[in-house]
Amino acid sequence: MPGTRTHEADHTDGRGGHAPPERLPRPKVPCPGGADFDVRSAEFMNRFGLGGGPERSARMTAGLNRIAVRIAPYADPFAAQLLSDLAVWVFAFDDHCDEDVPSLTPTEMLTMVARLQRTIEAPGVPLGEDPFGLALRDIRLRVEAIATPVQVRRWVDAMRGYFLAEAGAGAGAAPTGPGSPQDVSDYLLTRLHSGAALAVPVLLDAVGAALPAPLWEDPRIRALTEMAAGIVVLDTDIHSFAKENQRGSRSGNLIALLDGPHRPGPGQGLQAASELRDLIMRRFLHLGEQTAKAPADPRIQRYLDVLTQYVRGVRDWCAATSRYHSGQPGGARHQPRGAGAGYGPPDDIPLTPPPIASIAWWWAVDGAPPASP
């Protein structure tokens, strides 16, 4: 696995707390241009009527900020456009749920996401005239062009987890307790699936590694995939908290959960969330290094590179996007600065698991290289 790079990010939790320097995977390749993908994703969004008006449409378009080439600079133009369009669909659906239909009952929310899930399970015939369903069907048909039938099924299954998380958020199921280990464990149960964080690696594997089924199902690979998604969602929690808190998002945020009444003062949630992120990053790098040791299948190293670029790309996107940092065109104020010289995992972060039951198994898997099928 690549090493780590330390950046100090100039972002706050909206109440004066500052995140500590973050440990980042070293980028595998430089990030090329990508504005054309953003432009075409805006056209995709407008063609299906996902924007919700000119102001929101412009906000989502600006918020894309080259996300596809950040997370998959190795992808061909067709695959990169698919990733970009999936991102804008997820953004649009999230805003739709927050701003257009926040008063749906749990039954209505479940019905809405069940229809969307059915759209990608059986895309042969459109399921009604819902613009989100029609746009998602378009994405699903393009997934078939880059993925094998097995990979398509993996993606459909991962999207089911995403829709379950969305239904839970719409029903107000996110934990709101004092931030105990059990509260955090329950929060991460669904947060790992939100934002399609576990669906994206399936597409990245299809275009960048193509792991066979026995390797994909290996516990080490499953743990590394979940850890990458965990780091991604924690990064988005850290960067989005101030804006989500301001607009009253329905989906909750780990920082808000950790800033419970038992904490010594305001802003402690940001520090605790960053520490948890570093713990997961440390384990991600350590397990990746063990898993990639010879005589590991070369496809494993390619997939680990894919996951590493995913984590790094989303982190850089979070720091740059106007979606989370309004009033900062291009996110200039929030770009990483002061890159450190150390690339190895930080020695002062332990390899012991945090007391969070839902992710404890990441520390329990054996790091021996998986056998080639």
Side-chain angles (χ1 to χ4, degrees):
M1 286 288 285
T4 58
R5 172 172 291 170
T6 305
H7 287 303
E8 183 180 354
D10 184 18
H11 60 270
T12 71
D13 66 352
R15 291 168 297 179
H18 288 267
E22 298 177 357
R23 308 300 306 197
L24 305 175
R26 188 178 182 181
K28 188 69 178 176
V29 293
C31 192
D36 289 347
F37 297 119
D38 293 357
V39 170
R40 285 191 286 271
S41 286
E43 294 170 352
F44 167 82
M45 179 178 62
N46 292 329
R47 182 167 75 252
F48 285 99
L50 307 182
E55 182 180 349
R56 191 195 302 175
S57 178
R59 182 179 71 205
M60 281 188 288
T61 302
L64 278 171
N65 208 292
R66 301 164 53 244
I67 189 170
V69 294
R70 291 179 189 275
I71 66 173
Y74 48 81
D76 64 44
F78 184 91
Q81 192 62 59
L82 172 60
L83 291 167
S84 183
D85 291 351
L86 176 61
V88 82
W89 190 95
V90 170
F91 297 160
F93 187 66
D94 182 66
D95 288 353
H96 174 65
C97 292
D98 275 350
E99 300 175 24
D100 297 337
V101 291
S103 59
L104 287 183
T105 67
T107 298
E108 290 169 334
M109 185 70 186
L110 184 60
T111 299
M112 180 174 68
V113 298
R115 288 172 178 162
L116 292 170
Q117 177 63 24
R118 189 58 178 166
T119 293
I120 58 176
E121 290 173 344
V125 178
L127 191 64
E129 297 299 321
D130 170 44
F132 284 93
L134 293 173
L136 188 60
R137 177 176 178 267
D138 180 89
I139 290 172
R140 164 64 172 80
L141 293 174
R142 282 186 281 158
V143 168
E144 283 188 8
I146 68 166
T148 66
V150 171
Q151 291 167 336
V152 170
R153 178 53 51 191
R154 290 175 192 162
W155 181 77
V156 169
D157 290 344
M159 289 294 287
R160 184 179 293 109
Y162 162 63
F163 287 126
L164 178 63
E166 287 297 308
T176 56
S180 69
Q182 186 60 53
D183 293 327
V184 175
S185 179
D186 290 343
Y187 174 81
L188 290 177
L189 278 172
T190 54
R191 186 68 179 100
L192 280 172
H193 295 273
S194 61
L198 280 170
V200 170
V202 179
L203 301 182
L204 299 180
D205 172 59
V207 300
L211 287 180
L215 290 181
W216 180 264
E217 296 299 333
D218 186 274
R220 305 158 190 82
I221 300 300
R222 288 180 50 231
L224 287 160
T225 303
E226 286 194 5
M227 280 188 274
I231 297 165
V232 162
V233 298
L234 288 178
D235 275 335
T236 57
D237 272 11
I238 289 167
H239 280 268
S240 69
F241 174 66
K243 190 168 186 178
E244 295 295 311
N245 192 48
Q246 183 181 33
R247 77 171 185 168
S249 172
R250 77 205 191 292
S251 56
N253 187 289
L254 183 61
I255 293 173
L257 181 64
L258 291 171
D259 267 338
H262 74 295
R263 293 282 168 176
Q268 295 300 307
L270 178 58
Q271 178 73 25
S274 297
E275 290 172 355
L276 176 58
R277 179 202 184 279
D278 282 349
L279 278 173
I280 298 172
M281 177 65 80
R282 169 74 162 147
R283 177 57 176 162
F284 175 74
L285 294 170
H286 184 259
L287 181 60
E289 289 168 354
Q290 290 181 306
T291 304
K293 288 178 180 177
D297 189 304
R299 290 169 293 186
I300 294 172
Q301 183 60 64
R302 289 202 300 271
Y303 184 64
L304 297 180
D305 290 343
V306 161
L307 289 181
T308 298
Q309 186 64 40
Y310 177 41
V311 170
R312 172 58 190 249
V314 171
R315 165 48 183 91
D316 285 350
W317 173 80
C318 284
T321 179
S322 59
R323 180 170 177 81
Y324 296 155
H325 307 297
S326 58
Q328 303 294 331
R333 177 174 176 268
H334 299 274
Q335 286 285 5
R337 57 180 173 82
Y343 293 114
D347 294 333
D348 58 340
I349 294 179
L351 281 169
T352 53
I356 301 173
S358 60
I359 63 172
W361 83 275
W362 297 344
W363 282 263
V365 294
D366 180 8
S372 297

